[in-house]
Amino acid sequence: MSKLLIKNIKSLVQVRETNVIKVSGTDMKILPCIEDAWLAIDNGLIADFGKMQDFPGITDWKDLKVIDATGKIVMPCYADSHTHIVYAGNRESEFVDRINGLSYEEIAKRGGGILNSAKKLRETSEDDLFEQSFARFSEVISQGTGSIEIKSGYGLDLESELKMLRVIKRFKELNLIPVKATFLGAHAVPAEFKDNKKGYIDLIINKMLPAITNEKLADYIDAFCEKNYFTSEETKQIFEAGIKHGLKPKLHAEQLSHSNGIKTAVECKAVSVDHLEFCSDEDIALLKKSDTMPTILPGAAFFLNLQLPPARKMIDAGLAVAFASDYNPGSSPSGNMNFMMSLGCINYKLNPEEVINAVTINSAYAMGLSNEVGSITPGKKGNVFITKPIASYGYIPYAFGSSLIETVIINGVKF
Ligand code: NIG
Ligand code: FE
């Protein structure tokens, strides 16, 4: 494999000589950088870096590629710890329904929402689903995402959930960026179990989970803990079954109402608990005593015009906070982490340093990838991006909507 040297970097951002697994509270304001730097990637991994004035020179030019990054910023790629990029079709018509006054809940009650996506997905072949989803997979990489978690949850029957997870497995096997797979059978109760939620939960536990673990299709188990979806008791039951199959929990919680999701996630030692629009002060206290990463999904709160999760309050209380895109057809049809950072700064009052920590180190933690991605650290994946010439890293969230990434490097190679 070739070697890559990026030289004359205006600022090399998020440099952690020794690995840090998460950044909490006031530490989130600290973002170590090296000005006028070089970075070497060898065999797909970060090998070394430093200041240009200390550059040791090149002894081995064999297969070496050199990029001059004068005036440009280099950052580790974003870690997007919560997405649903495997889906069929889109939900543009519901977008218009919402513009015209219907709420997300009203649309769901009329058979739209997640069940609308389930209907489309069931009618789509695995290869077609792969093609449609691959377009999004490469789209987000070109926007700077260098590791990703992807959920099932639009199949809602055994074969269709397997189909989704097999597509996610095909993404993993591309060996492009690290991919984590999450089984989200408990995303909604499918139409055929409308009056028999217990029957559907039995199906998840007794049929889906064994089949999924048999094919080694998932790393995590998730649920939508919410009014009209799954209660905290049902979530707990599903998580306990998942844990027995070796899956760690992640949870959709407190998005549309307070549903005791954070409490459940903490009790089940979830890796992350996500959304959090209705997070209370008691919830913040519970999170402080746990290892669960609270994860804000600003695209969904923006797209659905929800009340905002108390991200600022969480950080001020000493918590670590992650941000992810939630890329999905119903509540966040964008996986652009640059825009998620802008929302973090503008709507949630995070400083650029805090938001960069939230989309790199902390979001890597939220999908169990702390040792592989999230910072410029020797031995981590050579997944970085080079910006266009810009004044500082703060320019990325500031210039919302602009495409400031010029080159994405994955495993030490231009994407
Ligand atoms: O994370 N909240 C639940 N699930 C998705 C949205 C699902 C959909 O509407 O398709 C979310 O926002
Ligand atoms: Fe989600």
Side-chain angles (χ1 to χ4, degrees), residues 226 254-262 278-280 282-283:
E226 185 65 58
E254 331 291 7
Q255 182 188 17
L256 308 171
S257 64
H258 193 270
S259 307
N260 288 321
I262 292 179
F278 288 80
C279 172
S280 68
E282 293 74 44
D283 290 329

Side-chain angles (χ1 to χ4, degrees), residues 82 84 91 104 114 154 187 224 252 255 275 326 328 330-331:
H82 182 140
H84 309 245
R91 306 230 297 272
Y104 183 79
I114 295 165
Y154 291 124
H187 198 191
F224 190 13
H252 284 74
Q255 182 188 17
H275 279 296
D326 197 17
N328 78 76
S331 69

